[in-house]
Amino acid sequence: MTTELQVDAEVTLSPPSTFLSPCSKFRILVLGNPEATKQELFSKVFGVELEKRLVSDTFDPKHNIESELDLQGQNDRLAVHASPNFLNGDQKNYNRVLEFLSRRSASADYTEHVHMIWYCVSTSEEDRGISDLEKHFFTQDITSVHVPVVLVYTKYDEFVSRVMLEWMKGAGSTERGVSKVAVGHILKDISSKKFEEDIGRHWNMILPFSIPRVCVSSGDEDDDIRSFQQLANSTLVSLKGEADVKLAFATAQRSSPVISTQFCAEAATDYYEVDTGHARKIHGVDMRDILPNFFAKAAQIFNLRDPSSVLTDPLLLNRVLDSTFGTHQKPLLAESLRRSGTESGNILLSLSPHERAVLLTQALSGIVLFLHMLADSQWSHAETLPTLAPLSPGYTFSTPTTPHFPSHSGSVNTDLSQRQISRELEDLRLGTGKSILLDTIESSSIFTECQLKQDISELILKAVTLAEKSEITGAGENNYRFAYHQHHDAMFLEGGYGGDEDGVGKGTAMGDSLSAADMIRDMSMTFVNDNNELREGTAGEGKVKLACGLTILPLN
């Protein structure tokens, strides 16, 4: 990340205007075809709403691969190139793609490089084989292009629908006593196994283990939206070792506020110094300079749709802090924004270095929480913290550990307005989240036991996550620790889904629409009647054995 501080006679902060300059756009190449690739790829991951015809035309063989997809000014942090995939065996198209990637990689401007390839395969195409060019690309040329690749199985919902129809015509028609919930569990299990048999195993034979495989659906249900979050997270994990590119993707994506919060927390560490186990505010820079500097950078990371520039209101930072802090702390914040911390008579002089570090961390975290809430209300998503459970060799299925969290204000895919800003500020001021955020930071031992700046980043991420979820879930410290570490391991460490011991991802991530709360509720229901053939044992035992291996006991 390029927000390093310049230390001379006096410390100066890098200006927000240069924050993203090393890689100002995330550039992606999407290889697919009009049938396999739909505009949902761009709307649900990057928040770009485009006409279907406009997207389809970019996958025409006559389309110039050098021409960026016209995003109509909806996302300045993104550049998209598109071309047909290699299913049809078009050698001319194949050579054109390789030449394009090679030419881009030679550019001295890193923004001009292609940072990611999404190779799209439609699961709605029955009996789709793998062409010789596809085999050649993934077994030989993939190492020469030096660009990460994610294999994207599109229209997975249509595949599941076909499986459901087949099941209903066959054995499913005899399960008259099975509840809809039980049928849902059975179909998920059958669909994943059939997907592996019909599609997945063929690609697994040729794909390197390091290439993630993600199934995405086209609808607007929670599980459909969650599948695109899996795509966003798999894309981020695949960008190994390039901090500037990862930051570029984090600012381009509009799918997961958790990703944005993670990068804001990392950016915040530039305002601290760690010495002899103590974390302190950097010496020589006032909070009145730090807070607006960070607010501007954090707003760039979240990249909210803000055509009216309401986030640049010079009074907004004061309003955010006023909504975050309690009455007894507001004089300190007002003083820190108005006067230098070294001026005679400044009440900040009465604070110890430890207390100043706590106050700074609370203020930075409050800014991130506010932006996270705005993203919750604007982006089309269903935020979860997934864990991974094995289905079969080479596959993973994501099971959320937290329930679906609805938007704060209910609006989705809308531009920011002063009304929305005021609404979220009021939610922040009246909600319980801010108290959890402030208490989590104040009670932390990080400021006296800090070894790395990453410890500060994780504290901010922890405080924001707990605060954002608190009102809906009532999640406590223990619930957080489990969910956060599972999420952090899966999404932000170098590795991938279903990885081996070396952290190399080799699985297919598929979103599950059932949350932990759903699972508990479902397992508390009577799934089948006394005559159901799924029961095992005697009629008195009444156990239900699902296809996925779960045994459900009836309620008595």
Side-chain angles (χ1 to χ4, degrees):
M1 191 174 297
T2 57
T3 56
E4 297 181 357
L5 303 173
Q6 300 175 350
V7 182
D8 297 310
E10 130 182 18
V11 178
T12 58
L13 300 175
S14 61
S17 60
T18 64
F19 180 51
L20 300 175
S21 57
C23 189
S24 59
K25 284 189 177 183
F26 183 77
R27 190 173 299 274
I28 186 170
L29 170 62
V30 183
L31 297 175
N33 57 58
E35 290 72 35
T37 312
K38 301 183 71 174
Q39 66 268 42
E40 282 86 353
L41 279 174
F42 307 113
S43 64
K44 290 190 172 71
V45 177
F46 299 111
V48 176
E49 300 290 343
L50 301 173
E51 294 181 4
K52 182 177 180 180
R53 178 63 181 273
L54 175 64
V55 175
S56 298
D57 287 347
T58 61
F59 295 95
D60 188 290
K62 298 179 181 179
H63 174 74
N64 184 3
I65 192 173
E66 288 284 357
S67 299
E68 297 179 16
L69 180 63
D70 183 8
L71 304 181
Q72 301 169 354
Q74 298 181 59
N75 194 336
D76 294 335
R77 302 301 179 192
L78 177 67
V80 178
H81 298 267
S83 178
N85 59 25
F86 309 135
L87 173 62
N88 294 330
D90 186 343
Q91 186 69 49
K92 182 178 180 181
N93 175 58
Y94 186 84
N95 294 338
R96 182 184 64 163
V97 170
L98 294 184
E99 291 171 2
F100 168 76
L101 292 171
S102 176
R103 187 166 56 253
R104 285 279 174 177
S105 298
S107 174
D109 184 356
Y110 208 56
T111 301
E112 296 299 317
H113 289 202
V114 175
H115 307 125
M116 172 58 60
I117 298 172
W118 284 349
Y119 195 92
C120 298
V121 175
S122 175
T123 61
S124 66
E125 300 173 3
E126 297 187 24
D127 301 324
R128 184 202 192 281
I130 301 176
S131 71
D132 290 338
L133 284 182
E134 287 177 322
K135 294 177 182 178
H136 194 273
F137 178 74
F138 284 106
T139 58
Q140 298 185 44
D141 287 330
I142 195 69
T143 57
S144 64
V145 299
H146 304 297
V147 180
V149 179
V150 174
L151 185 67
V152 184
Y153 297 112
T154 62
K155 297 188 177 182
Y156 183 69
D157 51 329
E158 296 185 15
F159 177 85
V160 173
S161 295
R162 292 202 310 273
V163 173
M164 181 179 67
L165 290 175
E166 293 173 3
W167 185 81
M168 293 299 292
K169 292 177 180 178
S173 61
T174 66
E175 314 294 352
R176 296 180 180 178
V178 182
S179 71
K180 291 182 179 180
V181 176
V183 169
H185 284 290
I186 295 170
L187 285 175
K188 286 178 185 296
D189 186 53
I190 294 175
S191 297
S192 63
K193 290 180 178 179
K194 186 170 179 57
F195 176 85
E196 179 184 357
E197 294 172 358
D198 293 355
I199 300 175
R201 66 185 179 91
H202 301 295
W203 285 96
N204 290 342
M205 294 175 62
I206 68 168
L207 288 178
F209 282 174
S210 59
I211 295 181
R213 279 137 271 181
V214 182
C215 294
V216 296
S217 300
S218 303
D220 293 320
E221 299 298 324
D222 288 351
D223 57 336
D224 300 328
I225 297 172
R226 190 175 294 115
S227 70
F228 287 93
Q229 289 183 333
Q230 295 283 5
L231 176 56
N233 286 313
S234 293
T235 299
L236 177 61
V237 168
S238 299
L239 298 171
K240 298 181 178 180
E242 299 293 347
D244 293 327
V245 174
K246 288 183 177 181
L247 178 59
F249 175 74
T251 63
Q253 68 88 31
R254 288 170 174 158
S255 176
S256 172
V258 170
I259 291 178
S260 305
T261 296
Q262 167 76 13
F263 279 81
C264 283
E266 292 179 3
T269 62
D270 287 337
Y271 307 107
Y272 296 83
E273 53 192 28
V274 176
D275 185 29
T276 63
H278 292 75
R280 298 290 183 261
K281 179 183 74 67
I282 55 174
H283 182 72
V285 182
D286 289 324
M287 283 184 61
R288 66 176 180 178
D289 297 320
I290 290 176
L291 296 181
N293 185 276
F294 176 73
F295 185 89
K297 291 176 180 177
Q300 291 181 64
I301 291 176
F302 272 90
N303 189 24
L304 296 159
R305 289 182 294 276
D306 184 21
S308 301
S309 301
V310 296
L311 290 178
T312 61
D313 182 350
L315 299 178
L316 182 55
L317 174 59
N318 299 64
R319 296 173 65 194
V320 172
L321 297 176
D322 184 72
S323 297
T324 302
F325 286 89
T327 303
H328 68 288
Q329 291 175 303
K330 288 179 181 179
L332 285 173
L333 267 298
E335 190 87 339
S336 68
L337 290 173
R338 186 173 67 251
R339 302 173 61 190
S340 170
T342 59
E343 286 185 30
S344 176
N346 191 321
I347 58 177
L348 291 176
L349 292 175
S350 63
L351 300 181
S352 67
H354 175 96
E355 291 171 327
R356 294 181 190 182
V358 170
L359 183 66
L360 173 62
T361 308
Q362 290 174 328
L364 297 178
S365 300
I367 291 171
V368 179
L369 175 59
F370 168 69
L371 293 171
H372 191 126
M373 292 171 65
L374 284 177
D376 265 341
S377 66
Q378 184 184 86
W379 296 349
S380 175
H381 75 283
E383 195 64 77
T384 58
L385 301 178
T387 60
L388 302 176
L391 273 179
S392 54
Y395 285 84
T396 58
F397 195 95
S398 70
T399 304
T401 62
T402 55
H404 166 57
F405 302 100
S407 301
H408 286 83
S409 56
S411 59
V412 176
N413 291 329
T414 58
D415 295 332
L416 288 183
S417 64
Q418 287 292 351
R419 181 179 180 181
Q420 185 180 3
I421 293 288
S422 298
R423 183 169 55 236
E424 298 300 336
L425 286 173
E426 187 70 1
D427 286 349
L428 178 61
R429 184 179 70 85
L430 297 177
T432 59
K434 70 175 185 181
S435 297
I436 292 178
L437 179 139
L438 298 174
D439 292 344
T440 299
I441 295 171
E442 187 170 359
S443 62
S444 175
S445 61
I446 289 298
F447 304 102
T448 55
E449 300 177 0
C450 186
Q451 300 299 321
L452 300 170
K453 285 188 175 183
Q454 182 181 350
D455 297 337
I456 304 169
S457 172
E458 292 187 356
L459 173 60
I460 294 175
L461 178 60
K462 170 185 174 180
V464 173
T465 303
L466 278 174
E468 212 281 324
K469 309 304 183 188
S470 61
E471 290 189 52
I472 303 175
T473 66
E477 176 73 8
N478 291 335
N479 291 337
Y480 166 78
R481 285 177 179 171
F482 176 75
Y484 166 70
H485 285 297
Q486 293 288 337
H487 175 74
H488 188 273
D489 292 344
M491 304 305 178
F492 297 113
L493 296 181
E494 297 295 343
Y497 298 95
D500 55 21
E501 293 180 356
D502 296 325
V504 178
K506 58 183 178 183
T508 301
M510 293 176 281
D512 187 355
S513 64
L514 292 178
S515 67
D518 295 328
M519 293 287 287
I520 293 172
R521 183 187 66 248
D522 297 344
M523 291 181 183
S524 300
M525 299 178 64
T526 302
F527 285 104
V528 293
N529 61 29
D530 292 339
N531 297 321
N532 196 303
E533 296 178 0
L534 290 177
R535 290 188 182 279
E536 63 178 14
T538 66
E541 290 176 338
K543 297 177 182 178
V544 179
K545 184 75 172 181
L546 297 182
C548 61
L550 289 176
T551 299
I552 309 300
L553 298 177
L555 295 178
N556 294 322

